[in-house]
Amino acid sequence: MADQAMSRSAAAGDRGTPGQPARSTSDKTGAVRDPFVLDVRSLGRRPGTMSEVHRTVVAPDRIGVDMIGIPADSEVDLDLRLESVSEGVLVTGTVSGETEGQCSRCLEPIDGTVTVFLTELFAYPDSATEQTTDAEDVHRVVDDHLDLEQPIIDAVALELPMSPLCSEDCEGLCPECGVRLAVAEPGHAHEIIDPRWAALRDKFGATPEDGAGASDKGGD
């Protein structure tokens, strides 16, 4: 019963102020608390103990890939379960947020929503996993806290397209003038002059077609 009460208390604390997304704050020592850092002291390293996190935080930095991502200072929803296991804390659940970016073909602004599913083990200090796994291959519980920022960054980057599109049939831009082909006049095209005729055109205003027409008339 005591474990359940502690877990419920921790979950309630993770929700933050109702109606207000959690932002980076400072504790009593003045250290900045990242919104993606979670306190797991209530789990007490007792396997089977669980708590839930349901809260909205504000992303301190942009999360995504070059062409699309979750903007900085936008809201990110966390819906997670934290479970103490023998080797650490297992985090499962979803993270979602609104995205903004550009179409990779026509460069028009696009927006949407991204949702990623997390399954991450954070190893306890001095656990067999912590001692036998390279630092870059496992996340760790540090001072009874776990930092979800890098797992979220990695998951969002894998979920988002490297070349996002405003629509599957986007025609892109005209390679000559850069106008969006979706709004260009029907039959939009440019006359391409062979560089070998450019000097003749500049001097006499003649084109290859003009020369061919003159030859035909001469033959008649």
Side-chain angles (χ1 to χ4, degrees), residues 1-16 39 41-43 49-53:
M1 293 295 292
D3 290 347
Q4 293 177 354
M6 292 178 69
S7 297
R8 286 197 296 269
S9 176
D14 281 332
R15 292 190 185 98
D39 188 332
R41 284 175 294 181
S42 64
L43 299 180
T49 306
M50 293 183 291
S51 67
E52 294 184 349
V53 175

Side-chain angles (χ1 to χ4, degrees), residues 158-216:
L158 289 173
E159 183 68 21
L160 291 174
M162 296 299 294
S163 300
L165 299 175
C166 59
S167 65
E168 290 298 327
D169 59 352
C170 175
E171 299 179 72
L173 304 175
C174 172
E176 297 300 322
C177 67
V179 68
R180 287 178 59 215
L181 294 176
V183 298
E185 60 185 14
H188 177 82
H190 296 269
E191 180 183 6
I192 307 300
I193 303 298
D194 189 317
R196 293 170 296 179
W197 289 91
L200 182 62
R201 181 199 59 184
D202 293 341
K203 186 174 183 179
F204 300 106
T207 65
E209 290 75 11
D210 295 336
S215 298
D216 292 341

Side-chain angles (χ1 to χ4, degrees), residues 93-143:
T94 61
V95 177
S96 60
E98 301 296 319
T99 59
E100 294 179 0
Q102 283 184 306
C103 174
S104 60
R105 292 181 186 169
C106 69
L107 304 182
E108 280 294 290
I110 55 177
D111 54 42
T113 302
V114 62
T115 298
V116 297
F117 298 87
L118 293 183
T119 302
E120 299 286 344
L121 175 66
F122 287 77
Y124 284 133
D126 302 323
S127 65
T129 299
E130 196 270 345
Q131 294 177 351
T132 59
T133 309
D134 292 338
E136 64 271 13
D137 293 332
V138 66
H139 304 291
R140 287 168 166 76
V141 177
V142 179
D143 296 330

Side-chain angles (χ1 to χ4, degrees), residues 61-71 152-153 156-158 160:
D61 301 298
R62 183 180 183 276
I63 302 173
V65 293
D66 288 344
M67 297 292 290
I68 191 169
I70 300 173
I152 290 173
I153 290 174
V156 170
L158 289 173
L160 291 174

